[in-house]
Amino acid sequence: MYLALRELRFAKARYSLIAVIMLLVAFLVLFVTGLAKGLAYDNAASIQNQAATHYLLEQGAEHRFTRSKVDASLLDQATAIVGEGKAEPFGLAMTTVIPKGMSQKLDVTLMGVNPAGWLAPQVVSGEGIAAASPSGTVLVDRKLADAGVKLGTVLVDQASGLSWTVSGFVKNESFSHSAVVVMNLQDWAKLQAVKPAIGGAAGEGVRYSAVALQATKAQSEQLAAAFGGKAEFISKSDAVSAIPGYKEEQGSLLMMIVFLFVISAFVLAVFFYVITIQKTSQFGILKAIGTRTRYLIQSVTLQVLVLAIGSLAISCAVVLALAAVLPSGMPFQLTGATLTFTCLAFILMSVLGSLLSVWQVVRVDALDAIGRSAA
């Protein structure tokens, strides 16, 4: 430890250059990781935030809500297995709305749920929507506030011509990078151009995108057996992965992150390998006077750890400070768990990058090194 720290103090310029490069690479890794997590969450926030564990979709929908249409009979069959209150109808459709009095068109996702059920998001401002009667009011994600949507704004659906009044705002509700507009099941039925049953229950002709379920492991096995060949029974993770562009987007960003880790390991390996070669004679002399190879390996590894941890600490501070001032519309998310895992992975890659230098230290022959030094 003494040798490692003493050398870091002696060759400040050399190791500062390495530290700056590691800092920049670490910052890039953390920022891209936060961007990848933010894009993933923005793409599927409405599904991830739901308390559902599984979904029933139309057979052949390929796990996509926008391709699925199911009726109330499927809801009744699922309820018989999971129990009352554990199955809820769920409608989802993508469309374009125009705020009344404005010319701007907004791409949104319409989501039909029971406002009194466990699928309904929490209202953060304004008032909730009624569950028992067609109210013509909706909840919208706070992103739409940046586009000028306010409480009382009337949204006109470009496709159907129906209009809804904004009664409240929710947060973190998006699907396929579009803000979500939440309506009750009666308004959803009206949107589907069918008549809901008297008393607020779904009528015979009402069709939804899926049936959301809260199922135990035993119930999920029973559901899979009961609906095999009749409907698609999928988990929440399957539903998220099937969102258009989700896997492709995350795959590209994951490849970038992996390459950044590999590049950081190679850069560190090259720098320390060159430095180790330059110090071959010094290592030889140290070995000749009785210094153990293990001590020299620990010295090199400690230098790598000090530089990696120091660079990460500064990078984390910079990234977190930057995240605090980023625009609210920018999808960036870096949780404590993600930050910890990324930092540990970066330190591990840094240590792996130092193995080439360690191998060179092990190969140093004391007599040979002293001979070259004398020559």
Side-chain angles (χ1 to χ4, degrees):
M1 182 179 228
Y2 173 80
L3 178 64
L5 298 179
R6 183 67 180 268
E7 188 176 7
L8 288 174
R9 287 198 301 267
F10 179 76
K12 294 186 183 69
R14 176 190 300 172
Y15 288 105
S16 294
L17 178 61
I18 300 175
V20 169
I21 294 175
M22 291 182 67
L23 190 153
L24 294 175
V25 175
F27 171 81
L28 193 56
V29 168
L30 290 171
F31 188 80
V32 174
T33 300
L35 186 61
K37 290 294 183 181
L39 286 170
Y41 187 70
D42 186 69
N43 205 351
S46 287
I47 306 303
Q48 290 180 345
N49 291 339
Q50 289 180 354
T53 59
H54 298 83
Y55 297 90
L56 280 173
L57 282 72
E58 180 184 3
Q59 186 69 25
E62 298 179 345
H63 299 185
R64 295 191 178 184
F65 294 113
T66 52
R67 295 180 180 178
S68 174
K69 292 292 181 183
V70 299
D71 56 32
S73 62
L74 195 68
L75 173 64
D76 296 335
Q77 295 173 44
T79 302
I81 296 176
V82 298
E84 195 69 31
K86 297 296 184 179
E88 289 195 7
F90 174 57
L92 188 142
M94 304 186 73
T95 188
T96 300
V97 297
I98 305 173
K100 205 166 186 179
M102 299 171 59
S103 59
Q104 183 180 8
K105 296 182 178 181
L106 304 173
D107 293 325
V108 300
T109 298
L110 304 177
M111 192 168 75
V113 299
N114 176 13
W118 44 264
L119 282 180
Q122 183 178 2
V123 180
V124 294
S125 63
E127 298 179 356
I129 55 179
S133 61
S135 59
T137 57
V138 292
L139 304 173
V140 300
D141 185 75
R142 288 194 301 187
K143 285 187 199 174
L144 293 184
D146 297 333
V149 175
K150 304 176 182 178
L151 294 176
T153 298
V154 177
L155 303 178
V156 181
D157 182 23
Q158 183 175 263
S160 66
L162 295 176
S163 61
W164 309 285
T165 303
V166 177
S167 67
F169 285 92
V170 294
K171 67 175 182 179
N172 298 330
E173 291 294 331
S174 58
F175 180 86
S176 193
H177 298 302
S178 65
V180 163
V181 174
V182 183
M183 62 181 59
N184 65 18
L185 297 177
Q186 286 71 27
D187 283 331
W188 173 263
K190 188 176 180 182
L191 180 67
Q192 303 302 310
V194 293
K195 184 178 180 181
I198 299 173
E204 184 180 353
V206 180
R207 296 174 69 83
Y208 307 102
S209 301
V211 175
L213 305 166
Q214 290 181 328
T216 63
K217 184 177 180 181
Q219 289 172 341
S220 64
E221 294 174 355
Q222 190 176 354
L223 286 163
F227 292 100
K230 300 176 183 178
E232 289 185 359
F233 177 68
I234 63 173
S235 64
K236 181 189 287 188
S237 59
D238 292 333
V240 169
S241 298
I243 294 175
Y246 182 89
K247 289 192 294 185
E248 293 78 6
E249 180 181 84
Q250 290 303 299
S252 300
L253 290 169
L254 180 61
M255 184 177 294
M256 289 175 59
I257 294 170
V258 170
F259 270 105
L260 284 173
F261 275 119
V262 173
I263 289 170
S264 66
F266 269 104
V267 169
L268 194 66
V270 170
F271 267 100
F272 271 91
Y273 182 69
V274 172
I275 292 174
T276 303
I277 291 177
Q278 292 174 346
K279 298 188 297 182
T280 299
S281 59
Q282 298 174 24
F283 283 131
I285 293 172
L286 288 171
K287 283 189 175 183
I289 62 177
T291 305
R292 295 182 178 180
T293 302
R294 180 181 177 183
Y295 179 81
L296 296 178
I297 291 174
Q298 290 175 347
S299 177
V300 173
T301 305
L302 181 61
Q303 288 177 347
V304 173
L305 287 175
V306 168
L307 292 175
I309 293 173
S311 301
L312 271 174
I314 299 174
S315 298
C316 288
V318 174
V319 168
L320 292 176
L322 183 62
V325 298
L326 285 175
S328 58
M330 185 170 185
F332 185 88
Q333 188 181 65
L334 198 59
T335 62
T338 302
L339 186 63
T340 301
F341 176 79
T342 305
C343 289
L344 291 176
F346 186 83
I347 292 173
L348 177 61
M349 292 301 294
S350 298
V351 173
L352 291 177
S354 69
L355 292 180
L356 187 61
S357 299
V358 169
W359 176 70
Q360 182 66 24
V361 171
V362 173
R363 289 181 65 249
V364 171
D365 180 79
L367 294 177
D368 185 51
I370 292 173
R372 286 202 305 269
S373 179

